[in-house]
Amino acid sequence: MAKKFKIKKGDTVEIIAGDDKGKKAEVLQVLPAKDAVIVAGCKVVKKAVKPTEQNPEGGFVNKEMPIHISNVRKVEGA
């Protein structure tokens, strides 16, 4: 049976643990298989990208990484 979370895509959440503690932002994606969510502007890392046809120069891209669901709290009425 699929896991069910109270946090959905588009909800506003507050980060309660980690480097981005205290930030409030919108959920971009929920990953039930990993028990994680991707939150806009939080846990951003620089990823090295190889040159492709769409991106001929390659280089570095800033990307949001997943945060465990236990480290976020839903903000009501925001």
Side-chain angles (χ1 to χ4, degrees):
M1 188 172 152
K3 292 181 185 177
K4 188 164 171 96
F5 297 123
K6 293 178 180 165
I7 296 173
K8 306 275 186 251
K9 180 178 176 180
D11 286 349
T12 302
V13 295
E14 180 182 2
I15 310 299
I16 58 174
D19 293 340
D20 295 313
K21 183 175 181 176
K23 281 189 183 178
K24 292 180 183 171
E26 182 182 340
V27 174
L28 299 176
Q29 190 176 1
V30 179
L31 306 168
K34 288 182 158 185
D35 293 339
V37 291
I38 297 178
V39 181
C42 295
K43 200 171 175 188
V44 177
V45 297
K46 263 191 183 339
K47 296 283 285 182
V49 179
K50 287 186 177 182
T52 61
E53 287 197 19
Q54 293 87 9
N55 185 8
E57 293 184 15
F60 295 96
V61 172
N62 290 330
K63 181 179 178 184
E64 288 103 354
M65 298 303 284
I67 300 171
H68 196 270
I69 198 101
S70 68
N71 295 332
V72 297
R73 170 177 49 215
K74 190 172 181 179
V75 178
E76 297 295 329

Coordinates of all heavy atoms in Angstrom, one line a residue:
M1 N 0.8 -1.2 0.0 CA 0.0 0.0 0.0 C 0.9 1.3 0.0 O 1.9 1.3 0.7 CB -0.9 0.0 1.2 CG -1.9 1.1 1.3 SD -3.0 0.8 2.6 CE -3.5 2.5 2.9
A2 N 0.4 2.3 -0.7 CA 1.2 3.5 -0.8 C 1.2 4.3 0.5 O 0.2 4.2 1.2 CB 0.6 4.4 -2.0
K3 N 2.3 5.0 0.7 CA 2.4 5.8 1.9 C 1.6 7.0 1.8 O 1.4 7.6 0.7 CB 3.9 6.2 2.2 CG 4.7 5.0 2.6 CD 6.1 5.5 2.8 CE 7.0 4.3 3.1 NZ 8.4 4.6 3.3
K4 N 1.0 7.5 2.9 CA 0.2 8.7 2.8 C 0.7 9.8 3.8 O 1.0 9.5 4.9 CB -1.2 8.4 3.2 CG -2.2 9.5 3.0 CD -3.6 9.0 3.0 CE -4.6 10.1 3.0 NZ -5.1 10.4 1.7
F5 N 1.0 11.0 3.2 CA 1.5 12.1 4.0 C 0.5 13.2 4.1 O -0.3 13.3 3.3 CB 2.8 12.6 3.4 CG 3.9 11.6 3.3 CD1 4.5 11.3 2.1 CD2 4.4 11.0 4.5 CE1 5.6 10.4 2.0 CE2 5.4 10.1 4.4 CZ 6.0 9.8 3.2
K6 N 0.6 14.0 5.2 CA -0.3 15.1 5.4 C 0.2 16.3 4.6 O -0.5 17.2 4.4 CB -0.4 15.5 6.8 CG -1.1 14.4 7.7 CD -1.1 14.7 9.1 CE -1.8 13.6 9.8 NZ -1.6 13.6 11.3
I7 N 1.5 16.2 4.1 CA 2.0 17.3 3.3 C 1.9 17.0 1.8 O 2.2 15.9 1.4 CB 3.5 17.5 3.6 CG1 3.6 18.0 5.1 CG2 4.2 18.5 2.7 CD1 5.0 18.0 5.6
K8 N 1.3 17.9 1.1 CA 1.1 17.7 -0.4 C 1.9 18.8 -1.2 O 2.3 19.8 -0.6 CB -0.4 17.9 -0.7 CG -1.3 17.1 0.1 CD -1.5 15.7 -0.5 CE -2.5 14.9 0.2 NZ -2.0 13.8 1.0
K9 N 2.0 18.6 -2.5 CA 2.6 19.5 -3.4 C 1.9 20.8 -3.3 O 0.6 20.9 -3.3 CB 2.6 19.0 -4.8 CG 3.2 19.8 -5.8 CD 3.2 19.2 -7.2 CE 3.7 20.1 -8.3 NZ 3.7 19.4 -9.6
G10 N 2.6 22.0 -3.2 CA 1.9 23.3 -3.1 C 1.7 23.8 -1.7 O 1.4 25.0 -1.5
D11 N 1.8 22.9 -0.7 CA 1.7 23.4 0.7 C 2.8 24.2 1.1 O 3.9 24.1 0.6 CB 1.6 22.2 1.7 CG 0.3 21.4 1.6 OD1 -0.7 21.9 1.0 OD2 0.2 20.3 2.1
T12 N 2.6 25.1 2.1 CA 3.6 25.9 2.7 C 4.1 25.2 3.9 O 3.3 24.8 4.8 CB 3.1 27.3 3.1 OG1 2.6 27.9 1.9 CG2 4.3 28.2 3.6
V13 N 5.4 25.0 4.0 CA 6.0 24.3 5.1 C 7.1 25.1 5.8 O 7.7 26.0 5.1 CB 6.6 22.9 4.7 CG1 5.5 21.9 4.3 CG2 7.6 23.0 3.7
E14 N 7.5 24.8 7.0 CA 8.6 25.4 7.7 C 9.6 24.3 7.9 O 9.3 23.2 8.3 CB 8.1 25.9 9.0 CG 9.2 26.6 9.8 CD 8.8 27.1 11.2 OE1 7.6 26.9 11.5 OE2 9.6 27.7 11.9
I15 N 10.9 24.6 7.7 CA 12.0 23.7 7.9 C 12.3 23.7 9.4 O 12.5 24.8 10.0 CB 13.2 24.0 7.1 CG1 12.9 24.3 5.6 CG2 14.3 23.0 7.3 CD1 12.3 23.1 4.9
I16 N 12.3 22.5 10.1 CA 12.5 22.5 11.6 C 13.8 21.9 12.0 O 14.1 21.9 13.1 CB 11.3 21.8 12.3 CG1 11.2 20.4 11.8 CG2 10.0 22.6 12.1 CD1 10.2 19.5 12.6
A17 N 14.6 21.5 11.0 CA 16.0 21.0 11.3 C 16.9 21.1 10.1 O 16.4 21.2 9.0 CB 15.9 19.5 11.6
G18 N 18.2 21.3 10.4 CA 19.1 21.4 9.3 C 19.6 22.8 9.0 O 19.3 23.7 9.8
D19 N 20.4 23.0 8.0 CA 20.9 24.3 7.7 C 19.9 25.4 7.4 O 20.1 26.6 7.6 CB 21.9 24.2 6.4 CG 23.1 23.4 6.7 OD1 23.4 23.2 7.9 OD2 23.7 22.9 5.8
D20 N 18.8 25.0 6.8 CA 17.7 26.0 6.5 C 16.6 26.1 7.5 O 15.5 26.5 7.3 CB 17.1 25.5 5.1 CG 18.1 25.6 4.0 OD1 18.8 26.6 3.9 OD2 18.1 24.6 3.2
K21 N 17.0 25.7 8.8 CA 16.0 25.8 9.9 C 15.4 27.1 10.0 O 16.0 28.2 10.0 CB 16.7 25.4 11.2 CG 15.8 25.3 12.4 CD 16.6 24.9 13.6 CE 15.7 24.8 14.8 NZ 16.4 24.3 16.0
G22 N 14.0 27.2 10.1 CA 13.3 28.4 10.3 C 12.7 29.0 9.0 O 11.8 29.8 9.0
K23 N 13.2 28.5 7.8 CA 12.7 29.0 6.5 C 11.3 28.5 6.3 O 11.0 27.3 6.6 CB 13.6 28.5 5.4 CG 14.9 29.3 5.2 CD 15.6 29.0 3.9 CE 16.9 29.7 3.7 NZ 17.5 29.3 2.5
K24 N 10.5 29.3 5.6 CA 9.2 28.9 5.2 C 9.1 29.0 3.7 O 9.5 30.0 3.1 CB 8.1 29.8 5.8 CG 8.0 29.6 7.3 CD 6.9 30.5 7.9 CE 6.9 30.4 9.4 NZ 6.1 31.3 10.0
A25 N 8.7 27.9 3.0 CA 8.6 27.8 1.6 C 7.6 26.8 1.1 O 7.0 26.1 1.9 CB 10.0 27.5 1.0
E26 N 7.4 26.8 -0.2 CA 6.4 25.9 -0.8 C 7.0 24.5 -1.2 O 8.2 24.5 -1.6 CB 5.9 26.6 -2.1 CG 4.8 25.8 -2.8 CD 4.3 26.5 -4.1 OE1 4.6 27.7 -4.2 OE2 3.8 25.8 -4.9
V27 N 6.2 23.5 -1.0 CA 6.7 22.1 -1.4 C 6.5 22.0 -3.0 O 5.5 22.3 -3.5 CB 5.8 21.1 -0.7 CG1 6.2 19.7 -1.3 CG2 6.0 21.1 0.8
L28 N 7.6 21.6 -3.6 CA 7.7 21.4 -5.1 C 7.3 20.0 -5.5 O 6.7 19.8 -6.5 CB 9.0 21.8 -5.6 CG 9.5 23.2 -5.4 CD1 10.9 23.3 -6.0 CD2 8.6 24.2 -6.1
Q29 N 7.7 19.0 -4.6 CA 7.5 17.6 -5.0 C 7.5 16.8 -3.7 O 8.3 17.1 -2.7 CB 8.6 17.2 -5.9 CG 8.4 15.8 -6.5 CD 9.6 15.5 -7.5 OE1 10.5 16.3 -7.7 NE2 9.5 14.3 -8.1
V30 N 6.7 15.8 -3.6 CA 6.7 14.8 -2.5 C 7.2 13.5 -3.0 O 6.8 13.0 -4.1 CB 5.3 14.6 -1.9 CG1 5.3 13.6 -0.8 CG2 4.7 16.0 -1.5
L31 N 8.2 12.9 -2.3 CA 8.8 11.6 -2.7 C 8.5 10.5 -1.7 O 9.2 10.3 -0.7 CB 10.3 11.8 -2.8 CG 10.8 12.9 -3.7 CD1 12.3 13.2 -3.5 CD2 10.5 12.6 -5.2
P32 N 7.3 9.8 -1.8 CA 6.9 8.9 -0.8 C 7.9 7.7 -0.7 O 8.1 7.2 0.4 CB 5.6 8.4 -1.3 CG 5.2 9.2 -2.4 CD 6.3 10.0 -2.9
A33 N 8.6 7.3 -1.8 CA 9.5 6.2 -1.7 C 10.7 6.5 -0.8 O 11.2 5.6 -0.1 CB 10.0 5.8 -3.1
K34 N 11.1 7.7 -0.7 CA 12.2 8.2 0.1 C 11.8 8.8 1.4 O 12.7 9.3 2.1 CB 13.1 9.2 -0.7 CG 13.9 8.6 -1.8 CD 14.7 9.7 -2.4 CE 15.9 9.2 -3.2 NZ 16.7 10.3 -3.7
D35 N 10.5 8.9 1.7 CA 10.0 9.7 2.8 C 10.5 11.1 2.8 O 11.0 11.6 3.9 CB 10.3 9.0 4.1 CG 9.6 7.7 4.3 OD1 8.6 7.5 3.6 OD2 10.1 6.8 5.1
A36 N 10.5 11.8 1.7 CA 11.2 13.1 1.6 C 10.3 14.0 0.7 O 9.4 13.6 0.0 CB 12.5 12.9 0.9
V37 N 10.6 15.3 0.9 CA 10.0 16.4 0.1 C 11.1 17.3 -0.5 O 12.2 17.4 0.1 CB 9.0 17.2 0.9 CG1 7.8 16.4 1.3 CG2 9.6 17.8 2.1
I38 N 10.8 17.9 -1.6 CA 11.6 18.9 -2.2 C 11.0 20.3 -2.0 O 9.8 20.5 -2.4 CB 11.9 18.7 -3.7 CG1 12.7 17.3 -3.8 CG2 12.7 19.8 -4.3 CD1 13.0 16.9 -5.2
V39 N 11.7 21.2 -1.3 CA 11.1 22.5 -0.9 C 11.8 23.6 -1.7 O 13.1 23.5 -1.8 CB 11.3 22.7 0.6 CG1 10.7 24.0 1.0 CG2 10.6 21.6 1.4
A40 N 11.1 24.5 -2.2 CA 11.7 25.6 -3.0 C 12.7 26.4 -2.2 O 12.4 26.9 -1.1 CB 10.6 26.5 -3.5
G41 N 13.9 26.5 -2.8 CA 14.9 27.4 -2.2 C 15.6 26.8 -0.9 O 16.4 27.5 -0.3
C42 N 15.3 25.6 -0.6 CA 15.9 25.0 0.6 C 16.8 23.8 0.2 O 16.5 23.1 -0.7 CB 14.9 24.6 1.6 SG 13.9 25.9 2.3
K43 N 17.9 23.7 0.9 CA 18.9 22.6 0.7 C 19.4 22.6 -0.8 O 19.3 21.7 -1.5 CB 18.4 21.2 1.1 CG 19.4 20.2 1.3 CD 18.9 18.9 1.8 CE 20.1 17.9 1.9 NZ 19.6 16.6 2.3
V44 N 19.8 23.8 -1.2 CA 20.2 24.0 -2.6 C 21.7 23.6 -2.7 O 22.5 24.0 -1.9 CB 20.1 25.5 -3.0 CG1 20.6 25.7 -4.4 CG2 18.6 25.9 -3.0
V45 N 22.1 22.8 -3.7 CA 23.4 22.4 -3.9 C 23.8 22.8 -5.4 O 23.0 23.0 -6.2 CB 23.6 20.9 -3.7 CG1 23.4 20.5 -2.3 CG2 22.8 20.1 -4.6
K46 N 25.1 22.9 -5.6 CA 25.7 23.1 -7.0 C 26.0 21.7 -7.6 O 26.8 21.0 -7.0 CB 26.9 23.9 -6.9 CG 26.7 25.4 -7.1 CD 28.1 26.0 -7.3 CE 28.2 27.4 -7.5 NZ 27.3 28.3 -7.9
K47 N 25.3 21.4 -8.7 CA 25.6 20.1 -9.3 C 26.4 20.4 -10.6 O 26.1 21.3 -11.4 CB 24.3 19.4 -9.7 CG 23.4 19.0 -8.6 CD 23.8 17.8 -7.9 CE 23.5 16.6 -8.7 NZ 23.9 15.3 -8.0
A48 N 27.4 19.6 -10.8 CA 28.2 19.6 -12.1 C 27.4 19.0 -13.2 O 26.8 17.9 -13.0 CB 29.5 18.9 -11.9
V49 N 27.3 19.7 -14.3 CA 26.5 19.2 -15.5 C 27.4 19.0 -16.7 O 28.1 20.0 -17.0 CB 25.3 20.1 -15.8 CG1 24.5 19.6 -16.9 CG2 24.4 20.3 -14.5
K50 N 27.3 17.8 -17.3 CA 28.1 17.6 -18.5 C 27.5 18.4 -19.7 O 26.2 18.6 -19.7 CB 28.1 16.1 -18.9 CG 29.0 15.3 -18.0 CD 29.1 13.9 -18.5 CE 30.0 13.1 -17.6 NZ 30.1 11.7 -18.1
P51 N 28.3 18.8 -20.7 CA 27.7 19.4 -21.8 C 26.7 18.5 -22.6 O 27.0 17.3 -22.8 CB 28.9 19.8 -22.7 CG 30.0 19.8 -21.7 CD 29.7 18.8 -20.7
T52 N 25.6 19.0 -23.0 CA 24.6 18.3 -23.8 C 24.2 19.1 -25.0 O 24.6 20.3 -25.1 CB 23.4 17.9 -23.0 OG1 22.8 19.1 -22.5 CG2 23.7 17.0 -21.8
E53 N 23.3 18.6 -25.8 CA 22.8 19.4 -26.9 C 22.0 20.6 -26.4 O 22.0 21.7 -26.9 CB 22.0 18.6 -27.9 CG 22.8 17.6 -28.7 CD 22.1 17.1 -29.9 OE1 21.1 17.7 -30.3 OE2 22.6 16.1 -30.4
Q54 N 21.2 20.4 -25.3 CA 20.4 21.5 -24.8 C 21.2 22.5 -24.0 O 20.9 23.7 -24.0 CB 19.3 21.0 -23.8 CG 18.2 20.1 -24.4 CD 18.6 18.6 -24.5 OE1 19.6 18.2 -24.0 NE2 17.8 17.9 -25.2
N55 N 22.3 22.0 -23.4 CA 23.2 22.9 -22.6 C 24.6 22.6 -23.1 O 25.4 21.9 -22.5 CB 23.1 22.6 -21.1 CG 23.9 23.5 -20.3 OD1 24.4 24.5 -20.7 ND2 23.9 23.2 -19.0
P56 N 25.1 23.2 -24.2 CA 26.4 22.9 -24.8 C 27.6 23.3 -23.9 O 28.6 22.8 -24.1 CB 26.4 23.7 -26.1 CG 25.2 24.6 -26.1 CD 24.3 24.2 -25.0
E57 N 27.4 24.3 -23.0 CA 28.5 24.7 -22.2 C 28.7 23.8 -21.0 O 29.8 23.8 -20.4 CB 28.3 26.2 -21.8 CG 28.4 27.1 -22.9 CD 28.3 28.5 -22.5 OE1 28.4 28.8 -21.3 OE2 28.0 29.4 -23.4
G58 N 27.6 23.1 -20.5 CA 27.7 22.4 -19.3 C 27.9 23.3 -18.1 O 27.3 24.3 -18.0
G59 N 28.7 22.9 -17.1 CA 29.0 23.8 -16.0 C 28.3 23.4 -14.7 O 28.1 22.2 -14.5
F60 N 27.8 24.3 -13.9 CA 27.2 24.1 -12.7 C 25.8 24.5 -12.7 O 25.4 25.6 -13.2 CB 28.0 24.7 -11.5 CG 29.3 24.2 -11.4 CD1 30.4 24.8 -11.9 CD2 29.6 23.0 -10.6 CE1 31.7 24.3 -11.8 CE2 30.8 22.5 -10.5 CZ 31.9 23.1 -11.1
V61 N 24.9 23.8 -12.0 CA 23.5 24.1 -11.9 C 23.1 24.1 -10.4 O 23.5 23.1 -9.7 CB 22.6 23.1 -12.7 CG1 21.1 23.3 -12.4 CG2 22.9 23.2 -14.2
N62 N 22.4 25.1 -9.9 CA 21.8 25.1 -8.5 C 20.6 24.2 -8.5 O 19.7 24.4 -9.3 CB 21.5 26.5 -8.0 CG 22.8 27.3 -7.8 OD1 23.8 26.7 -7.5 ND2 22.7 28.6 -8.0
K63 N 20.5 23.3 -7.6 CA 19.4 22.3 -7.6 C 18.9 22.1 -6.1 O 19.8 21.9 -5.3 CB 19.8 21.0 -8.2 CG 18.8 19.9 -8.3 CD 19.4 18.7 -9.0 CE 18.3 17.6 -9.0 NZ 18.8 16.4 -9.5
E64 N 17.6 22.0 -5.9 CA 17.1 21.7 -4.6 C 17.2 20.2 -4.4 O 16.8 19.4 -5.3 CB 15.6 22.1 -4.4 CG 15.5 23.6 -4.3 CD 15.0 24.3 -5.6 OE1 14.9 23.6 -6.6 OE2 14.7 25.5 -5.5
M65 N 17.6 19.8 -3.2 CA 17.7 18.3 -2.9 C 16.6 18.0 -1.9 O 16.1 18.8 -1.2 CB 19.1 18.0 -2.3 CG 20.2 18.3 -3.3 SD 20.1 17.4 -4.8 CE 20.6 15.8 -4.3
P66 N 16.3 16.7 -1.8 CA 15.2 16.3 -0.9 C 15.5 16.5 0.6 O 16.7 16.4 1.0 CB 15.0 14.8 -1.2 CG 15.7 14.5 -2.5 CD 16.8 15.6 -2.6
I67 N 14.5 16.8 1.4 CA 14.6 16.9 2.8 C 13.7 15.9 3.4 O 12.5 15.7 2.9 CB 14.1 18.3 3.3 CG1 15.0 19.4 2.6 CG2 14.2 18.4 4.8 CD1 14.5 20.8 2.9
H68 N 14.1 15.2 4.4 CA 13.3 14.1 5.1 C 12.0 14.7 5.6 O 12.0 15.9 6.1 CB 14.0 13.4 6.2 CG 13.4 12.1 6.5 ND1 12.5 12.0 7.5 CD2 13.5 10.8 6.1 CE1 12.0 10.8 7.6 NE2 12.7 10.0 6.7
I69 N 10.9 14.0 5.5 CA 9.6 14.5 5.8 C 9.5 14.9 7.3 O 8.7 15.8 7.7 CB 8.5 13.5 5.4 CG1 7.1 14.1 5.4 CG2 8.5 12.3 6.3 CD1 6.6 14.4 4.0
S70 N 10.3 14.2 8.2 CA 10.3 14.5 9.6 C 10.9 15.9 9.9 O 10.8 16.4 11.0 CB 11.0 13.4 10.4 OG 12.4 13.5 10.1
N71 N 11.6 16.5 9.0 CA 12.3 17.8 9.2 C 11.5 19.0 8.7 O 12.1 20.1 8.7 CB 13.7 17.7 8.5 CG 14.6 16.7 9.2 OD1 14.5 16.4 10.3 ND2 15.6 16.2 8.4
V72 N 10.3 18.7 8.3 CA 9.4 19.8 7.9 C 8.1 19.8 8.6 O 7.7 18.7 9.1 CB 9.2 19.8 6.3 CG1 10.4 20.0 5.5 CG2 8.4 18.6 5.9
R73 N 7.5 21.0 8.8 CA 6.2 21.1 9.5 C 5.3 21.9 8.6 O 5.7 23.0 8.1 CB 6.4 21.7 10.8 CG 5.1 22.1 11.5 CD 5.4 22.7 12.9 NE 6.4 23.7 12.9 CZ 7.2 23.9 13.9 NH1 7.2 23.1 15.0 NH2 8.1 24.9 13.9
K74 N 4.1 21.5 8.4 CA 3.1 22.2 7.6 C 2.7 23.5 8.4 O 2.5 23.5 9.6 CB 1.9 21.3 7.4 CG 0.9 21.9 6.4 CD -0.1 20.8 6.1 CE -1.1 21.4 5.0 NZ -2.1 20.4 4.7
V75 N 2.6 24.6 7.6 CA 2.2 25.9 8.2 C 0.8 26.1 7.8 O 0.4 26.1 6.6 CB 3.1 27.0 7.7 CG1 2.6 28.4 8.2 CG2 4.6 26.8 8.0
E76 N -0.1 26.2 8.8 CA -1.5 26.4 8.5 C -1.9 27.8 8.2 O -1.3 28.7 8.9 CB -2.3 25.9 9.8 CG -2.2 24.4 10.1 CD -2.8 23.5 9.0 OE1 -3.7 23.9 8.3 OE2 -2.2 22.4 8.8
G77 N -2.8 28.0 7.3 CA -3.3 29.4 7.0 C -2.3 30.3 6.4 O -2.4 31.5 6.6
A78 N -1.3 29.8 5.8 CA -0.3 30.7 5.2 C -0.5 31.1 3.8 O -1.0 30.5 3.0 CB 1.1 30.1 5.3

